[in-house]
Amino acid sequence: MTEKKYVLAIDQGTTSSRAILFNHSGQIVSVGQKEHEQIFPKAGWVEHNPIEIWDNIRACVADALQKAEVNRHSIAAVGITNQRETTVVWDKNTGEPVYNAIVWQDTRTDAIVRELAGNEGPEKYKKDVGLPLATYFSGPKIKWILDNVDGAREKAEAGDLLFGNTDTWTVWNLTGGVEGGVHVTDVTNASRTMLMDIEKLEWREDICADMGIAMSMLPKICSSSEIYGYGRKNGLLIDTPIAGILGDQQAATFGQACFEKGMAKNTYGTGCFMLMNTGEEPVHSDNGLLTTVCYKIGDQPTKYALEGSIAVTGSLIQWLRDNLKIIDSAPQVEQLAKTVDDNGGMYFVPAFSGLFAPYWKDDARGAIVGMTRYNNAGHMARAALEASAFQTREVLDAMNADSGVDLTELRVDGGMIANELLMQFQADILGTNVVAPEVAETTALGAAYAAGIAVGFWDGEQDVIDNWCEGKRWQPQMAEEDRERTYRLWKKAVTKTFDWVDDDVRNA
């Protein structure tokens, strides 16, 4: 029998899907990656094609296995991590989505959110589900599909439609699709729907009723680390256990070995997401943060987290590349930003999808402020990079206030940590050490660990801790007076984005 040497992680992200093969030391063996189309039907609408995503996942798996010159017999388990709130509704009999996936950044449900809030306001369900009413989460997106796609509500009520975030869509297809596919999600993804009781880890029938969502659409809620089913439809993974699911930010927290209460990480991707482990009790935020499930390993106690979610960070650099065309590739933004010594007084607040934590204003829109004729493309690039660091500072301030503990270091990961200028500015504006691991792909790694633990490939969290190694550390160098002045100006810039969308624009 071939020795099981590897765990495969499928990372279904916002802009691409990847398959990454890891060895027992948590090192990357091979990677397959494919981008998928970003669909923008109207202002504020963001969609993906679920069929394209599934096709890309299969291609990525084939690519990763071919590059490593291995087959399924060498793979102990498969872990899934995913863009969390992105919503897929499909016909269980045909396997066809009834509509494109509605992406977490999409703001079309703002009227639904206000209607649901009524006189009770956006905190209506927060004590039960840990989340404010916002366009970000899956529940209102399901309601929009049922309300707006011809025949969808009737099919749902007949028991013919299934819902899932992209983890559920991926697992269902991997395990057979219409031929017996397993319809499951894990507690971390379920905690991002607005439909799960944060303490009982069960779907809330009353909230589903408020949103007009048939309970039959919802996947079974499982732990983050257990065998859900076996590969069937994709011959490359036939009979391989699918054994780990973690939403992307929780997966990164797991991969960063943030297992102790008070430990925190920040992931720099399409958006920016900071999570702090709060232990076995959910902590409800007074400062605009989300209460979410951090992870649950098999039958072990559930671990919770506080999260600060920022909608636009890496996607702002893509916007400079694709819309303004002032750079040809994302890495060029650092070179352009280095042509100037500072931001030249320019501040860029990228509220393209409204403002997430700690403001939760879906009627905010992006703004560039402080411009003079002195400013050039270098200042624009620098202001765009600094926006990620400033937004992270706002979230960290909220986290410190909620937890009562000031962080002494922040673990970081994601594609943008390759940007030295950004990471140094991040340390400067936080006044805190910023630490990157040796293996930066912590999102995929966290999913791999969850799957590997379920099948005994790794013994548990201690193996994750033992494998984690510091790769780089940035220490603050900015004077306190400069730090607070530039941060004060950022906060002032943010206020210029508030209340931009009037009712006549919203309803047009």
Side-chain angles (χ1 to χ4, degrees), residues 145-271:
I145 290 172
L146 297 179
D147 288 348
N148 290 277
V149 176
D150 285 346
R153 186 166 296 284
E154 291 76 14
K155 280 188 172 183
E157 290 170 357
D160 290 329
L161 296 189
L162 301 179
F163 150 75
N165 295 335
T166 60
D167 64 308
T168 300
W169 171 246
T170 300
V171 173
W172 187 79
N173 280 294
L174 277 173
T175 55
V178 295
E179 299 170 6
V182 178
H183 187 221
V184 297
T185 190
D186 89 304
V187 288
T188 67
N189 276 286
S191 75
R192 312 299 293 189
T193 61
M194 294 202 70
L195 305 176
M196 187 189 80
D197 188 296
I198 196 72
E199 296 194 26
K200 295 179 180 177
L201 309 182
E202 298 172 353
W203 298 121
R204 287 289 297 255
E205 194 167 355
D206 56 338
I207 299 176
C208 288
D210 286 354
M211 297 191 192
I213 297 168
M215 298 289 287
S216 61
M217 296 179 69
L218 305 180
K220 178 184 177 184
I221 300 173
C222 300
S223 79
S224 309
S225 179
E226 62 181 83
I227 297 175
Y228 313 106
Y230 295 83
R232 287 183 63 192
K233 195 170 182 181
N234 186 333
L236 292 172
L237 297 174
I238 197 163
D239 296 332
T240 307
I242 316 302
I245 305 174
L246 283 162
D248 52 8
Q249 303 314 318
Q250 286 91 339
T253 308
F254 201 84
Q256 285 273 39
C258 292
F259 300 132
E260 297 298 321
K261 186 175 179 179
M263 294 182 74
K265 70 87 204 177
N266 197 33
T267 297
Y268 300 77
T270 302

Side-chain angles (χ1 to χ4, degrees), residues 395-452:
V395 168
L396 184 60
D397 284 354
M399 210 160 267
N400 287 341
D402 276 332
S403 67
V405 178
D406 288 345
L407 282 184
T408 56
E409 71 173 34
L410 179 65
R411 293 189 173 184
V412 296
D413 53 72
M416 293 180 80
I417 69 169
N419 191 306
E420 287 282 334
L421 187 146
L422 170 60
M423 288 296 101
Q424 183 56 56
F425 186 76
Q426 185 68 87
D428 287 341
I429 205 65
L430 294 180
T432 299
N433 287 340
V434 170
V435 183
E438 195 174 85
V439 177
E441 297 293 351
T442 55
T443 301
L445 183 56
Y449 280 137

Side-chain angles (χ1 to χ4, degrees), residues 310-365:
I310 301 164
V312 177
T313 53
S315 56
L316 176 56
I317 309 308
Q318 288 181 318
W319 185 81
L320 295 181
R321 180 193 69 190
D322 299 339
N323 292 49
L324 294 194
K325 301 188 186 304
I326 65 171
I327 54 174
D328 294 323
S329 65
Q332 286 181 2
V333 73
E334 183 173 16
Q335 301 164 27
L336 183 56
K338 283 181 173 178
T339 62
V340 294
D341 294 330
D342 54 37
N343 65 15
M346 183 187 291
Y347 292 82
F348 195 154
V349 188
F352 296 162
S353 302
L355 287 168
F356 284 18
Y359 299 101
W360 299 107
K361 289 182 175 288
D362 62 19
D363 55 3
R365 287 298 179 267

Side-chain angles (χ1 to χ4, degrees), residues 1 26 37 90 106 135 138 185 197 224 252 260 319 341 356-357 360 376 488 499 503:
M1 181 181 285
E37 184 184 4
W90 69 97
D106 190 287
T135 59
S138 311
T185 190
D197 188 296
S224 309
E260 297 298 321
W319 185 81
D341 294 330
F356 284 18
W360 299 107
N376 58 34
R488 183 189 75 241
D499 306 318
D503 284 341

